[in-house]
Amino acid sequence: MPETSVVTISRFLLGEERRHPHATGAFTNILHDIAVAAKIISREVNHAGLVDILGRAGSENVHGEDVQKLDVFANDVLYRALDHTGHIAVLASEESEDPIPIPEEFPSGEYVVLYDPLDGSSNIDVNVSIGTIFSILRKVTDGERGTLEDCLQPGTEQLAAGYVLYGSSTMLVYTTGAGTHGFTLDPSIGEFLLSHPNMLIPDPPTKVYSVNEAYFDRWSPGQQRLVSHLKGRAGFGSRYIGSLVADVHRTLLRGGLFMYPGDSKNAQGKLRLLYEAAPMAMVLEQAGGAASDGRGRLLEVQPTSLHQRIPVYLGSTPFVEMADRFLAEDAKN
Ligand code: AHM
Ligand code: MG
């Protein structure tokens, strides 16, 4: 590939911005800042295997510095990348119970960023891929600073959403509502390069379902019948990593059905609506897929609390619709 055809994420973002004549550049800056944070987190994640040499979390490393847990580190990096820019009104993270205000010494902006800084962090010890997930909204309240109300918007209001996968390579995948695009980090030059423009979930999709089947006995009859049907007559194969970003990324590239259902122990499942389910739903929809909470379009669910959980079904549209049909039988009983 000749050098000139390489498109960095900054160049791509600027190209997108030019298509919106009224754009102020603030939005482009936020995505750029998230990409920079992702590079820093990626570097640290790649060092995680050296933890026994460099020091464990909670201890001092060979340089006499405190070693932070990776999820705490990732949370810090994102916060510091976004808090001072003047573009953000309020932040929210899986790691913080309440919305995170912008410090008084910095100006407030028009946007809200919600994130899960390092999802699947229990997988780090076994070298399984993990990820960062983010969602960007516009501030809707009148005050100068953002509030909880600004965070509690349905997924349809997202201006952008995406994730970073720290896998065999680091990838950033995002959408601003005009398709889903993927960038791969070239560590030798420290740049995200456009590698997957206009991603589309394959049609016909691979017949794969992805769910933690250990919870089968806790599932509703409709959910049990769905999975029995998939692995029986429908002839599906099964893949489940147990790391949301990796499972969703595979579903986006190959097609299939990813599920994290509610069950008798956790009626709303495990995944969080605002910074896990909704951004993934937007990414999938923009790539020609679908996402549901088992009752209807996931993006239309109105959140009522910051860390609320929601059942998730996402992937190839016909499979998500099939899931909804099986689950509708539960509602009748
Ligand atoms: P975390 O936010 O505590 O890291 O947990 C979220 C992870 C997701 O990455 C994954 O989809 C899910 O937990 C797996 O849960 P389970 O072990 O119940 O299958
Ligand atoms: Mg998480």
Side-chain angles (χ1 to χ4, degrees), residues 94 116 118-123 212 215 240 242-245 247 258 260 270-272 276:
E94 187 187 74
D116 184 349
L118 207 56
D119 181 76
S121 49
S122 62
N123 290 301
N212 190 338
Y215 305 141
Y240 187 71
S243 187
L244 180 64
V245 180
D247 278 315
F258 171 84
Y260 205 111
K270 177 178 186 186
L271 301 178
R272 314 290 187 149
E276 293 179 333

Side-chain angles (χ1 to χ4, degrees), residues 98-252:
D98 298 315
I100 308 162
I102 299 300
E104 284 300 326
E105 68 257 41
F106 299 129
S108 181
E110 285 308 306
Y111 298 95
V112 177
V113 183
L114 313 168
Y115 48 86
D116 184 349
L118 207 56
D119 181 76
S121 49
S122 62
N123 290 301
I124 295 170
D125 285 352
V126 286
N127 217 346
V128 163
S129 303
I130 48 181
T132 296
I133 311 167
F134 62 90
S135 165
I136 306 179
L137 299 160
R138 193 181 296 281
K139 175 162 103 46
V140 286
T141 55
D142 291 336
E144 196 219 332
R145 306 261 149 182
T147 63
L148 175 63
E149 195 184 331
D150 293 302
C151 301
L152 300 183
Q153 300 185 51
T156 46
E157 299 305 309
Q158 293 175 108
L159 300 172
Y163 60 80
V164 185
L165 172 66
Y166 310 104
S168 47
S169 54
T170 295
M171 271 197 77
L172 189 153
V173 173
Y174 85 93
T175 177
T176 55
T180 292
H181 310 287
F183 300 79
T184 303
L185 181 63
D186 180 341
S188 66
I189 57 169
E191 286 279 8
F192 278 108
L193 305 179
L194 181 63
S195 52
H196 297 64
N198 292 309
M199 298 172 88
L200 286 176
I201 195 163
D203 184 19
T206 315
K207 284 180 156 190
V208 167
Y209 72 88
S210 182
V211 69
N212 190 338
E213 226 167 322
Y215 305 141
F216 190 93
D217 289 346
R218 305 201 312 232
W219 289 344
S220 69
Q223 175 66 35
Q224 289 182 337
R225 274 198 298 272
L226 169 64
V227 170
S228 302
H229 171 75
L230 293 176
K231 66 195 214 185
R233 265 182 301 150
F236 273 55
S238 161
R239 293 281 184 281
Y240 187 71
I241 300 168
S243 187
L244 180 64
V245 180
D247 278 315
V248 168
H249 189 66
R250 183 200 57 250
T251 305
L252 174 59

Side-chain angles (χ1 to χ4, degrees), residues 266-316:
N266 303 302
Q268 298 303 310
K270 177 178 186 186
L271 301 178
R272 314 290 187 149
L273 171 56
L274 282 171
Y275 43 78
E276 293 179 333
M280 291 312 202
M282 183 175 182
V283 165
L284 259 293
E285 279 198 5
Q286 285 294 319
S292 156
D293 67 348
R295 291 186 298 186
R297 191 176 173 216
L298 194 146
L299 288 180
E300 289 174 9
V301 174
Q302 171 65 52
T304 51
S305 67
L306 192 55
H307 299 288
Q308 111 185 44
R309 299 172 196 269
I310 189 162
V312 175
Y313 298 81
L314 59 79
S316 305

Side-chain angles (χ1 to χ4, degrees), residues 58-104:
S59 68
E60 281 189 353
N61 66 17
V62 286
H63 309 293
E65 299 153 343
D66 284 340
V67 181
Q68 274 182 313
K69 276 182 73 182
L70 264 182
D71 37 13
V72 177
F73 174 83
N75 193 41
D76 237 48
V77 169
L78 273 160
Y79 173 66
R80 284 175 205 284
L82 297 167
D83 70 337
H84 61 282
T85 62
H87 301 312
I88 315 281
V90 66
L91 296 162
S93 162
E94 187 187 74
E95 299 285 327
S96 309
E97 199 174 326
D98 298 315
I100 308 162
I102 299 300
E104 284 300 326

